[in-house]
Amino acid sequence: MKRTHTNGELRLSNVNEQVTLIGWVAKRRNFGALVFIDLRDRSGITQLVFNEELAKQISDVRNEYILQVSGIVVERKDKNPKLATGDIEIQVEEVTIVNKAETTPIIVADETDALEDTRLKYRYLDLRRSPIQKNLMLRHQVTMITRNFLSDHGFLEIETPILCKSTPEGARDYLVPSRVSPGEFYALPQSPQIYKQLLMVGGLEKYFQIARCFRDEDLRADRQPEFTQIDIEMSFIEEEDIWNITEELMRKIFKEIKHVDLPEFVRIPYDECMERFGSDKPDMRFGMELCNVNDIFANTTFKIFADVLENKGVIQAMVVKGGADKFSRKDLDKLQEFVKVYGAKALAYLKLANGEFSGSVAKVVSDEEKAVLKAQLGLEDNDLLFMVAAKKKVAQTSLGALRNKLGHDLNLIDESKFAFLWVTNFPMFEYVEEEDRYVAAHHPFTCPNLEDVDKLMSDPANCYSRAYDLVLNGYELLSGSIRIHDQELQKKVFEAIGMSLEEAYNKFGFFIDAFKYGTPPHGGVGIGLERLVMILAGTDNIRDVVAFPKTASASDLMSEAPSPVYDEQLKELHIGITHPVKEH
Amino acid sequence: MKRTHTNGELRLSNVNEQVTLIGWVAKRRNFGALVFIDLRDRSGITQLVFNEELAKQISDVRNEYILQVSGIVVERKDKNPKLATGDIEIQVEEVTIVNKAETTPIIVADETDALEDTRLKYRYLDLRRSPIQKNLMLRHQVTMITRNFLSDHGFLEIETPILCKSTPEGARDYLVPSRVSPGEFYALPQSPQIYKQLLMVGGLEKYFQIARCFRDEDLRADRQPEFTQIDIEMSFIEEEDIWNITEELMRKIFKEIKHVDLPEFVRIPYDECMERFGSDKPDMRFGMELCNVNDIFANTTFKIFADVLENKGVIQAMVVKGGADKFSRKDLDKLQEFVKVYGAKALAYLKLANGEFSGSVAKVVSDEEKAVLKAQLGLEDNDLLFMVAAKKKVAQTSLGALRNKLGHDLNLIDESKFAFLWVTNFPMFEYVEEEDRYVAAHHPFTCPNLEDVDKLMSDPANCYSRAYDLVLNGYELLSGSIRIHDQELQKKVFEAIGMSLEEAYNKFGFFIDAFKYGTPPHGGVGIGLERLVMILAGTDNIRDVVAFPKTASASDLMSEAPSPVYDEQLKELHIGITHPVKEH
């Protein structure tokens, strides 16, 4: 007999119906001669009642056995308001044991205290837990909404290869030895960047793909060696077109899943963003902005500040409203240590209490400077002022990190908010101190701002690009750019990052060639799917939104991948191992 | 100024409108002082007319330049009924050259005589050709319909890993060396088989994925090293459930794309299918069935037939209605050669003309046998009868191949038909002569028919399984099965294929372990997406439905993948090349 209902479905209105259910035993309780069982499936839990006679048939049944039962829906006396089906139970009339289960190494319940490694080893059991199933359903919902939205807007989903050419740039490639071409390798794509641009060259105009990407990096907590990107590219467009379609997509997702109408998406150029928030992905759910107070200290007699200013550094300030009495001396010492991690030498602070300034720099800041600080920063009684004097980037990022930390510590963040921010006008290049050269900040196909084209060689530090990020609640949700569609400009950019045309041709000659034949202006974005689902699910663990995740050392604890392989396999692939194999 | 319309959009109803178009120059004709240009984008072509003044501005413009034009829609005098926009043209008032193009190495037109290798090398230009773009749009449409259909039926799309454990079984794995675990490797999945079954163990109940799969095989024309599968798995089901959902999906796809209502899906068990069609993927768009005529020749005096029957072989027959005068002696000799490829020693034939039999075995077949043949096979004047006497498999497959060939040669196939066929009850095992052992015909997780469980060891040749294929127009569109969900049965099957429990544990111990904890009955299918799109697109070249395909030697002629990599990359991966690198 087939199941008539799922275990999340029955309500008071079903009372007296004859039903057949199937599922896993989530809980078993004996109550006198009766047995109560919570039967679980993907949709929820239903309580079953077995009379004395039937109870005998299931005397061996314990958690995670699979049962099929038929019976009558009856109203419960002791209703369970926490359960969607809590008003009813099933008076079982017939039971079949569909499959048995040994005692599970982790308990299948919403809450778990199992170590994450154990959960990952037995992921197939962990997957039975409702919070993980809900995340996977959410992920499915997000991709369905995304696909339908983009398809309705004329985008075609086009699959690009996983077996690609290695073009090491940025992260390390995962390589795949070729059996047919000895000594040659494929690479797994870090993103479909080159292919999606070639689709634009190919006249497809509007492309998307929910695409698997691979990066062989030393993983941080929120990274996986393989991850998924909502990849979008459009032709004949400008920034506004891409931002609009992205915003519309986000509105749609957040409306359908979170039932919220998103407010306007803020747009701030990179330089301003760094100055005001000390980060290119600031959390906009709270204020506490930074500001530059160089002018106030232009004539300072405080040697440390004066030296910094003389060396073209900056003094960056941040006011903690009403914060003067929230930090003990010990707390402040800890914050000193905190900013040092970001390269700051010290964290200066001033407290304003009863109209008087105290704090680490109270004696070296002049009365006049104090007055201006008070006026310009709007300092009020009981406010706390932090300052970092350092090179611009250090001053900004250390104070930005402190802003984030205090935002959390002082509960300034409205967790119900979704604060989107476009960061625009990124620098075109990034200076790599160790190599004494500029590299592409985004990737080498990013279009520079037209007014900066002439400065590409002469003043790379002041070249800005048509690259943008979308930030949500302090996470970089996506990045993208308008691409170069002019061959001559592309050559100039290669030159500016010190890549010879020969080297460029070696790496992606076919790509450069493609641009000869009528390339449309184009651009796009890549949205981190896991990141988006994490935020929607309210988790900060990427493994909670991946069905079969890997650990920080890129291993799958369940299947034990990676693993040794047969010599025969390696021989066929014309490779050998050059490092002693680990013992197993 | 933004484009107001696409190039496939304008009609007579738009006459007198001011429009802005953008696209590629598909054709340029000078006509006196005027210039006519066909402007192309993804949606189609629109004819532009440039007056003498404007013609000067575009004197250098040739094919594949990108133009943006503004102008007035006017009615054409010489309408082009082949073009959707053929009733109108644009009287251009303003033109901008958006990008230039060098002369393209292949001509961008619907019809091409370029070699396929050239087309693949310049795939980004080949992609501009409307037939390829249409195929990619079709592919997008098929995946959108599939996803929405399955999602609406409660299936969740869940992404499974690409970096997997190597479990060589069937085809060769593509391997990926691990940097973090020296001497260890990931494998790219040949299919998500193990993961989708673990999702069922994990209680997800209804899973699907449009999943990339990888097989490192020597490629045939219709294979690619990476391909895509519509992968489906369900719990708590039987064959009928899977067949029904699959049929419904196919009906939906063919209705939306081909506007046809599919007829009933035929179901034939494997043995019967082989006997009637000599193939497990017969083309059902035409008849010309095979039959076994052993009984008729039970007392034959023809030594060759008698020997075959004595050695438990079969005599398989096929009637070509009205075929007696369609084959010359030379044709028939060629058909002899044809069946020999499939192992048959000879192709016997009889022609019936004016009530008289002639042909290769006319003299050795008795009058009585002829009479029975005539009666039982319904032979009429001018019919042609082919017979192959051989081992069962050889007789069936050689005549089955001949059936296919003649179906095409004699134009018996109604190309407008879509003939679906479920082939069911596949043999559980396949005997591998070289290894003198039985292997799993499908994969080792396929459930045997319950009535055959006791014969697994004693009579493997006569064990059948709950595996099934769906065949469409002679192509295997999908295969699937009900899986084993009982640990003890799984162990028996491993034993039957001579896999020790130790070996099985080594390969997929985690998978066997998973089945201890309450595994639901489950099963599913994997549908070849490219195959499906090929049939819908009416092409027999898989590369026509893949955006960036690889050649038969698994290389990408455009990017030149696979390619040599830097020594540094190999060193980091703890591998070396054991075979001299090809010169480049």
Side-chain angles (χ1 to χ4, degrees), chain A residues 1-5 19-22 68-70, chain B residues 234-242 244:
Chain A
M1 198 191 293
K2 288 258 160 190
R3 71 168 152 184
T4 57
H5 296 79
V19 298
T20 300
L21 303 179
I22 194 162
Q68 176 164 330
V69 300
S70 292
Chain B
M234 301 168 78
S235 290
F236 306 125
I237 46 82
E238 292 177 331
E239 285 86 339
E240 287 290 339
D241 302 282
I242 297 172
N244 285 341

Side-chain angles (χ1 to χ4, degrees), chain B residues 218-229:
Chain B
D218 295 312
L219 302 174
R220 299 198 308 258
D222 63 343
R223 291 282 177 89
Q224 286 278 302
E226 51 180 310
F227 58 96
T228 300
Q229 187 164 301

Side-chain angles (χ1 to χ4, degrees), chain A residues 217-260:
Chain A
E217 290 178 302
D218 296 312
L219 302 174
R220 298 197 309 258
D222 63 343
R223 291 282 177 89
Q224 286 278 301
E226 51 181 308
F227 57 96
T228 301
Q229 187 164 302
I230 303 171
D231 201 42
I232 300 177
E233 196 80 5
M234 301 169 77
S235 290
F236 306 126
I237 46 81
E238 292 177 330
E239 284 86 340
E240 287 290 339
D241 302 282
I242 297 172
W243 297 347
N244 285 341
I245 197 90
T246 308
E247 290 183 12
E248 229 186 299
L249 171 60
M250 288 301 141
R251 286 183 193 287
K252 178 102 180 156
I253 291 173
F254 279 77
K255 181 75 183 175
E256 291 203 18
I257 290 177
K258 289 289 175 184
H259 314 293
V260 295

Side-chain angles (χ1 to χ4, degrees), chain B residues 87-133:
Chain B
D87 287 348
I88 58 95
E89 60 192 11
I90 310 299
Q91 201 68 52
V92 177
E93 297 175 341
E94 213 183 317
V95 57
T96 311
I97 298 174
V98 177
N99 213 344
K100 297 177 182 182
E102 292 185 10
T103 304
T104 52
I106 62 170
I107 290 168
V108 179
D110 288 8
E111 299 293 323
T112 176
D113 59 358
L115 292 176
E116 192 176 24
D117 277 7
T118 312
R119 287 174 48 206
L120 291 178
K121 181 169 164 61
Y122 299 99
R123 185 62 167 179
Y124 43 84
L125 295 176
D126 200 36
L127 284 172
R128 287 187 193 165
R129 294 174 52 240
S130 164
I132 302 288
Q133 294 200 344

Side-chain angles (χ1 to χ4, degrees), chain A residues 534-548:
Chain A
M534 281 166 69
I535 294 170
L536 289 165
T539 175
D540 55 6
N541 183 347
I542 190 173
R543 290 178 291 278
D544 286 346
V545 299
V546 176
F548 297 102

